[in-house]
Amino acid sequence: MRIWAVALNTFKETIRNRVLINILIFAIGLILLTLIIGDWSIYQQAKVIKDFGLSAMSIFGLLIAIFIGIRLMVQELEQKTIYVIASKPINRWEIILGKVLGLSITLMINIVFMSIALWGTELIQEGQIDLGLAPAILLITVEILLIVCFAIFFSSFISSTLSAIFTIVVFTIGHLSGFLRDYIEIYPDKGFHWLLKGIYYIVPNLEILNLKMAVVEHLEQPPHAVLFGLLYGMGYILLLLLLTIIIFSKRDLK
Amino acid sequence: MKLLFKKATLVVLIVFLSLGIHWTQRKIDQYHVIRFVDKSPVFLPKGEVLKWMSMGYRGLIADWLWIRTVLYFGRRAMDEDNPYLIYASGRGELEDELESVAQQPVPFDSTNDFALQIRNELSHIWQGSQYQGLIDYIYPMLERVTTVDPHFIFPYVFGGVYILMETGEFDEASALLEKGYQANPHCWEFPFYLGWIYWIYRGNMEKTTAYLSEAVGKEKCPQYVRDLLIGISKDPERSQFTRLYLESLLQSNDNPEIREQLIEILNRLNQSSTEERVY
């Protein structure tokens, strides 16, 4: 119940920050794009709409996740408003969970509306909707939630600028994990490959959560790709939440 | 009163700045055509690097590269404002002019810089209009598009067939289609188009038959590919079927340049009884 109160408060705060305005930008952008690219892409309009829609969904979500996620914690700490919450009969882990939950609700509402806008555009332009995009949208949501957790994790013990940098670094390395693995396999004798291996296993491989190209081009997927993606992403989310709670609980708020 | 003056000054300033920006934009747009005269070589990183850089957005990057390629093609080959097209549409006159410049004894002596400049520019434009910059830009761009997204089918077909029709660059086109076939071995389109270009541009019936047979074996291969294969296989000399096919293409095509090319190929075919090369 107390978690829910924090979550609701966080959700209201993000709404007050006009975060949801990006849905409008997304919808207008998508419609403009379809008007412009109709002739430019030569018979590839459907593919471009889907690629653009899914990528924009992911980019908008990630930007909100990084910047709002970091601000949620840092603002409370810097403006000392955390004292007001911490002095109430509430555990610190409940604050963390509430904040993550509140921001996750905002992000999921974003994704739901952006998906509706994407499918609506598809329906108008192509006369049909491709529900096959759903697995990619699901995993985009997991990726965004994972990035939220990283942002809140870093911001629980370092400054907002460094938190943003580290979260972006995690996102970048996460998408380059496949190349790290390939590099280790191609050059197994390189002296520092233990370091690369370490990075590969510590930083989440975000390409596992990336089905955008596969669903757009109807490529064959490994069995249970979505299920394993979900398990993998949720596993990291839980681990990060746990670490954040431990760090935040030990933090001296005086 | 003071506040009103402040507000009015702000409005005037905003209007003045907006008009200034608009005027500047219009001035810049006047150089719009000149920009396309350049060869615009591909300054982008190689496909493998782009693939690495695009991270989770490979589809988006491939689409962006693809649209750039199409826009470039449009400007070079189709746009009415395109200087290449303007010269290409008056090709005969330009050719005559070049020839007359070349034949004049010494109306321009070699020390006359202005004359040399005109002559060089004319020949440069003529060479440009022959290929319209397509080979230098389109194939490297398509190479990048297909490396970033190897399952994006249409760019292979665009480079392997459409651009081949414009440039006649068979090696580049067949290499692109082969690349697509390797990346998408289940697609019937690649062996079909490979067979088609070997037939029309090389007259190599062995390769044509082999590729078409492969295409027929693929899932979702349409009936007309089977009909084409049957037609080619039934005709012992194979030239009769080719002739019929080209004649039907000629009848269904309104484009004067393509019609001219088809007539030329048909004439060659008619002249030779034991035809091995059609084109």
Side-chain angles (χ1 to χ4, degrees), chain B:
Chain B
M1 192 64 189
K2 205 174 174 184
L3 193 71
L4 194 72
F5 177 73
K6 218 173 176 180
K7 276 185 180 173
T9 314
L10 268 177
V11 170
V12 170
L13 203 64
I14 289 167
V15 171
F16 180 75
L17 280 173
S18 306
L19 288 173
I21 291 166
H22 180 68
W23 180 83
T24 317
Q25 180 73 59
R26 285 183 68 100
K27 279 282 166 199
I28 292 166
D29 285 349
Q30 285 177 358
Y31 300 99
H32 175 76
V33 171
I34 294 168
R35 219 171 46 217
F36 304 139
V37 178
D38 296 331
K39 279 212 154 193
S40 303
V42 181
F43 288 117
L44 288 164
K46 293 281 176 203
E48 281 299 328
V49 181
L50 283 169
K51 191 172 161 182
W52 180 77
M53 284 166 64
S54 60
M55 297 197 290
Y57 304 99
R58 276 166 58 185
L60 188 71
I61 298 294
D63 290 348
W64 170 66
L65 292 170
W66 165 242
I67 288 174
R68 268 188 70 160
T69 311
V70 172
L71 289 179
Y72 183 88
F73 175 74
R75 285 174 194 144
R76 296 286 160 161
M78 294 164 81
D79 196 335
E80 285 179 7
D81 295 332
N82 171 2
Y84 287 125
L85 194 79
I86 294 164
Y87 283 111
S89 62
R91 192 170 283 182
E93 289 171 29
L94 187 65
E95 203 171 15
D96 292 345
E97 198 160 340
L98 276 170
E99 208 166 309
S100 68
V101 170
Q103 281 171 2
Q104 283 179 34
V106 194
F108 313 113
D109 65 52
S110 56
T111 56
N112 185 335
D113 287 342
F114 180 65
L116 269 175
Q117 194 185 333
I118 291 179
R119 189 169 166 174
N120 286 340
E121 281 199 8
L122 280 174
S123 52
H124 172 74
I125 289 160
W126 170 235
Q127 283 166 7
S129 69
Q130 279 185 311
Y131 292 103
Q132 298 165 329
L134 293 176
I135 297 163
D136 294 338
Y137 189 88
I138 296 277
Y139 283 113
M141 278 301 278
L142 289 173
E143 170 64 26
R144 284 163 174 79
V145 176
T146 54
T147 304
V148 174
D149 185 354
H151 307 292
F152 193 179
I153 308 294
F154 197 70
Y156 295 110
V157 179
F158 183 71
V161 181
Y162 291 78
I163 302 298
L164 171 63
M165 286 172 170
E166 295 282 339
T167 62
E169 279 292 309
F170 182 86
D171 293 339
E172 299 269 13
S174 60
L176 194 65
L177 286 172
E178 286 286 2
K179 183 185 172 189
Y181 194 17
Q182 275 179 14
N184 304 279
H186 60 284
C187 286
W188 64 268
E189 286 93 339
F190 295 106
F192 167 65
Y193 285 118
L194 277 163
W196 191 84
I197 65 169
Y198 269 104
W199 175 34
I200 298 296
Y201 285 87
R202 283 288 180 269
N204 187 331
M205 302 314 285
E206 283 71 30
K207 280 205 167 185
T208 299
T209 315
Y211 275 125
L212 289 181
S213 305
E214 282 181 41
V216 165
K218 309 278 176 197
E219 207 182 331
K220 293 181 187 170
C221 180
Q223 188 58 40
Y224 63 82
V225 180
R226 293 167 214 275
D227 293 345
L228 184 63
L229 181 63
I230 292 165
I232 286 174
S233 308
K234 272 184 183 171
D235 181 4
E237 288 185 0
R238 289 170 182 168
S239 57
Q240 182 60 26
F241 185 78
T242 308
R243 193 177 289 114
L244 284 171
Y245 180 81
L246 292 173
E247 277 169 1
S248 67
L249 268 184
L250 182 66
Q251 280 166 13
S252 60
N253 209 309
D254 295 330
N255 187 321
E257 283 190 20
I258 293 176
R259 285 180 66 85
E260 199 179 314
Q261 280 185 30
L262 287 169
I263 290 167
E264 194 185 330
I265 297 170
L266 275 165
N267 285 339
R268 281 193 212 172
L269 201 59
N270 288 334
Q271 280 165 11
S272 172
S273 54
T274 52
E275 199 66 63
E276 279 190 3
R277 279 172 64 98
V278 180
Y279 183 71

Side-chain angles (χ1 to χ4, degrees), chain A residues 25-38 45 52 121 125:
Chain A
I25 297 170
F26 175 84
I28 294 170
L30 209 58
I31 290 162
L32 284 178
L33 181 88
T34 55
L35 292 175
I36 296 166
I37 59 157
Q45 195 176 10
F52 178 86
T121 312
Q125 292 294 330

Side-chain angles (χ1 to χ4, degrees), chain A residues 180-246:
Chain A
L180 281 184
R181 188 191 50 211
D182 292 348
Y183 186 85
I184 295 163
E185 279 175 13
I186 295 167
Y187 304 106
D189 303 329
K190 293 275 178 190
F192 56 88
H193 93 272
W194 56 269
L195 178 69
L196 299 178
K197 225 171 188 170
I199 294 171
Y200 177 69
Y201 284 111
I202 291 170
V203 178
N205 182 352
L206 297 177
E207 280 299 305
I208 291 174
L209 306 175
N210 179 18
L211 290 185
K212 291 191 281 290
M213 209 159 95
V215 297
V216 170
E217 290 167 6
H218 306 287
L219 302 177
E220 204 174 312
Q221 283 300 301
H224 311 303
V226 180
L227 181 68
F228 283 127
L230 269 174
L231 287 175
Y232 183 78
M234 294 314 286
Y236 262 101
I237 287 171
L238 291 176
L239 181 69
L240 280 166
L241 280 177
L242 203 64
L243 289 173
T244 311
I245 288 168
I246 292 168

